[in-house]
């Protein structure tokens, strides 16, 4: 067994914290992400995650935990996307992209100011690509609370959300406040990608939001089941990623470990590829 | 500002802007903003990988960007395009971070690849950048009519015997090549801003394709030149200026567009 679980894996408290935070985040992000895939809002999710980099680097500049920065800028971004979303669809992606460009530009500036003012090397890496093993245990209750909040938003309007995702016209005819539901949903996405930014990094957070749900929706068309499968896949990718990252301290070519974020993203991507095999697509 | 070191930057940035303006016109027309956002990070992974192996960075940029385009094309063929794009994007970014974590030069390099570095161009890189740019423009010249047709109406294009998926993959490849020449200058994250913001602005100002292309090229050049000057003066990252100018010009043009289109409707309230 020791060649799978390198010594100390189960007793290391850093690993415990990472596994706990990672599981919570993966679970919630996958749950929220199922609707993002159904609604075709992968780009919005990506933009909100990336905008988190702006807030994260800005928060560091003023000495606040990046998590609050991730959340603040993602929520502002969600407001912007929601406002743009009221216009017709063709310009929506373009406008999202241009706002995202400005946000990333601002992130560039903040990171530059961060590194020149405090000479912290590796900050860009932490904000952009996350550092699962650097999460403080004291942050766990906050993470759990925010995760519950995001989940609460999605669960509270589950039926309305599902209906307005599958058929906005039908939902509107049934009296569902489609725009309000959309706005509440984007708030939930903001919280989810902010949490994912904490574990796998702002620019990689889309992996957990889109990857497991997209794989799950290839396997089943039933929304409830898809949520369960997506959550399971997300948690599996995170925990396996943590395990591999821990083991990778003994891997070539360098003896300092592979980034956990990369391993998680690679696993998420392979799961998606597996569900795209001809075997599965024939059943459609 | 015009020292021999900076001259390379000026030349490279101008070439980059010309190509970004032209490719961007089609990216906006085809609503490929997300793909334009996703390809540069592939190039970033390529540059990181090349620096790890000690290969030419242009080679790494090109191979990975085209690879990313092909993956998006392949996965997006029968599945959901936005999902394929998102997953390719994160995979490539993740690979880039892996490569950089293995190489010695970590933080500064990652930063300049992602957000641009105005002194990042050497004389020897000008020729490949120029060649790639010419190749992109030539390819778009050949694809001009089918691209335009399939962007405006996929059904008509198909009826005429064009294959939309092939055109899509062809266009993604051109965009990937354009991306790989620009990443060293503008950075992986801001490249797409330079591609879509000037052309988005141009499209709001004119509806004629040739005029929009020219306008978008001019705007891209103006954006990059202003950004270089500002970045040189303040020492702030060039990406910041590219992103901000892009948003400003797009917002201005949209407001102008909206104003133009509301004015004729205001006179004489109709009798009900």
């Amino acid at each position: 067994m020791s060649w799978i679980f390198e010594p100390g894996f189960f007793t290391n408290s850093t690993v415990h914290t990472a596994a706990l935070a990672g599981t919570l985040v993966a679970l919630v992000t996958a749950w929220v992400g199922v609707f993002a895939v159904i609604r075709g809002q992968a780009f919005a999710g990506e933009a909100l995650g990336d905008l988190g980099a702006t807030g994260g680097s800005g928060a560091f500049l003023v000495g606040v935990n990046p998590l609050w920065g991730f959340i603040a800028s993602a929520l502002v971004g969600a407001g912007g996307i929601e406002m743009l979303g009221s216009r017709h669809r063709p310009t929506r992606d373009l406008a999202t992209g241009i706002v995202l460009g400005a946000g990333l530009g601002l992130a560039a500036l903040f990171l530059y100011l961060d590194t020149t003012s405090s000479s912290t090397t590796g900050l860009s890496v932490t904000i952009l690509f996350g550092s699962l093993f650097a999460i403080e245990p004291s942050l766990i209750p906050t993470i759990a609370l925010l995760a519950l909040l995001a989940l609460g938003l999605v669960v509270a309007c589950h039926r309305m959300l599902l209906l307005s995702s599958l058929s906005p016209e039908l939902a509107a005819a049934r009296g569902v406040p489609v725009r309000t539901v959309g706005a509440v949903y984007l708030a939930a996405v903001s919280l989810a990608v902010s949490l994912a930014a904490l574990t796998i990094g702002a620019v990689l957070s889309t992996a957990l939001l889109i990857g497991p749900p997209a794989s799950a929706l290839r396997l089943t068309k039933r929304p409830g089941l898809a949520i369960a499968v997506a959550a399971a896949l997300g948690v599996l990718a995170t925990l396996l990623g943590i395990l591999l990252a821990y083991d990778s301290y003994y891997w070539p070519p360098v003896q300092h470990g592979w980034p956990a974020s990369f391993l998680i993203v690679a696993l998420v991507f392979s799961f998606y590829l597996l569900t795209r095999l001809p075997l599965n697509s024939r059943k459609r | 500002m015009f020292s021999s070191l900076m001259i390379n930057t000026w030349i490279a940035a101008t070439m980059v802007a010309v190509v970004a303006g032209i490719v961007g016109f089609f990216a906006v027309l085809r609503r490929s903003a997300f793909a334009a956002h996703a390809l540069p990070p592939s190039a970033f992974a390529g540059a990181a990988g090349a620096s790890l192996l000690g290969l030419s960075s242009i080679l790494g940029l090109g191979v990975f960007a085209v690879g990313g385009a092909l993956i998006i094309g392949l996965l997006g063929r029968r599945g959901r395009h936005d999902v394929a794009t998102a997953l390719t994007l994160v995979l490539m970014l993740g690979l880039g971070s892996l490569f950089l974590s293995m190489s010695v030069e970590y933080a500064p390099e990652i930063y300049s690849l992602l957000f641009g570095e105005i002194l990042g161009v050497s004389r020897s890189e000008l020729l490949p950048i120029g060649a790639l740019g010419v190749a992109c423009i030539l390819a778009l010249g050949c694809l001009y009519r089918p691209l335009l047709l399939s962007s405006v109406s996929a059904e008509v294009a198909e009826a005429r015997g064009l294959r939309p998926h092939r055109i899509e993959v062809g266009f993604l490849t051109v965009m990937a090549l354009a991306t790989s020449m620009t990443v060293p200058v503008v950075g992986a994250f801001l490249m797409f801003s330079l591609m879509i913001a000037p052309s988005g602005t141009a499209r709001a100002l004119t509806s004629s394709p040739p005029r929009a292309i020219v306008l978008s090229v001019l705007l891209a050049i103006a954006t990059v030149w202003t950004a270089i000057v500002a970045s040189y003066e303040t020492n702030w990252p060039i990406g910041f200026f590219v992103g901000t100018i892009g948003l400003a010009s797009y917002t201005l043009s949209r407001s102008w567009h909206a104003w133009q289109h509301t004015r004729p409707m205001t006179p004489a309230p109709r009798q009900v």
Side-chain angles (χ1 to χ4, degrees), chain A residues 26-36 151 154-155 158 185 208 213 227 230-231:
Chain A
L27 190 79
V28 171
T29 318
W31 193 316
V32 173
V34 168
F35 298 99
L151 211 54
V154 173
V155 171
H158 178 84
Y185 177 65
L208 285 178
I227 289 176

Side-chain angles (χ1 to χ4, degrees), chain A residues 235-257:
Chain A
V235 171
L236 184 65
T238 306
L239 292 181
L240 265 180
I242 290 174
L243 173 64
L244 290 176
Y246 187 82
D247 290 355
S248 70
Y249 279 88
Y250 306 94
W251 292 357
V254 277
Q255 302 289 318
H256 65 63

Side-chain angles (χ1 to χ4, degrees), chain B residues 33-60:
Chain B
F34 194 12
H37 173 61
L39 287 177
S42 313
F44 153 74
S51 96
L52 182 65
L53 296 175
L55 297 171
S56 139
S57 73
I58 281 280
L59 185 72

Side-chain angles (χ1 to χ4, degrees), chain A residues 110-227:
Chain A
F110 286 158
L111 285 174
Y112 167 80
L113 295 177
D114 284 337
T115 38
T116 46
S117 66
S118 61
S119 74
T120 30
T121 52
L123 176 73
S124 316
V125 179
T126 306
I127 299 280
L128 297 173
F129 298 114
S131 51
L132 195 47
F133 291 118
I135 294 177
E136 306 259 333
S138 60
L139 207 59
I140 292 280
T142 318
I143 294 177
L145 213 65
L146 289 168
L148 267 180
L149 185 60
L151 211 54
L153 288 176
V154 173
V155 171
C157 50
H158 178 84
R159 294 194 70 87
M160 289 197 285
L161 185 58
L162 199 59
L163 187 59
S164 67
S165 308
L166 291 171
S167 163
E169 292 81 12
L170 186 62
R174 287 255 190 114
V176 173
V178 176
R179 277 209 66 182
T180 317
V181 170
V184 169
Y185 177 65
L186 274 186
V189 173
S190 306
L191 286 176
V193 291
S194 302
L195 290 172
L198 199 64
T199 58
I200 64 170
V203 296
L204 296 180
S205 55
T206 323
L208 285 178
L209 185 76
I210 299 300
S215 316
L217 285 166
R218 303 276 314 177
L219 297 176
T220 170
K221 291 285 170 253
R222 286 170 53 198
L225 193 59
I227 289 176

Side-chain angles (χ1 to χ4, degrees), chain B residues 214-233:
Chain B
V214 172
L215 193 58
S216 131
V217 166
L218 292 178
L219 281 168
I221 293 177
T223 306
V224 164
W225 283 359
T226 320
I228 291 179
V229 172
S231 172
Y232 187 84
E233 291 297 329

Side-chain angles (χ1 to χ4, degrees), chain A residues 27-107:
Chain A
L27 190 79
V28 171
T29 318
W31 193 316
V32 173
V34 168
F35 298 99
V37 174
I38 298 178
R39 296 165 73 87
Q41 285 189 317
F43 191 29
E46 159 69 23
L48 292 179
D50 283 3
L51 284 174
T54 316
S57 45
F60 193 85
L61 203 57
V62 293
V64 183
N65 191 302
L67 178 60
W68 304 114
F70 291 146
I71 294 178
S73 57
L75 282 175
V76 170
I81 290 178
E82 172 54 29
M83 269 162 57
L84 297 167
S86 65
R87 299 223 203 106
H88 61 306
R89 207 186 160 117
T91 54
R92 192 185 68 183
D93 272 11
L94 178 63
T96 308
I98 290 171
V99 171
L100 173 57
L104 283 172
L106 207 57

Side-chain angles (χ1 to χ4, degrees), chain A residues 98, chain B residues 13-22 24-25 28 193-206 210-228 241-254 256:
Chain A
I98 290 171
Chain B
T14 310
M15 294 194 292
V16 163
V18 171
V19 174
I22 298 177
F25 168 77
V28 169
S193 188
L194 186 64
M195 255 195 223
I196 63 173
S199 40
T201 307
R203 281 208 71 203
L205 297 178
T206 170
R211 225 179 289 165
I213 292 179
V214 172
L215 193 58
S216 131
V217 166
L218 292 178
L219 281 168
I221 293 177
T223 306
V224 164
W225 283 359
T226 320
I228 291 179
F241 297 104
V242 170
T244 326
I245 297 171
L247 178 63
S249 69
Y250 180 71
T251 316
L252 282 179
S253 74
R254 290 303 308 183
W256 190 79

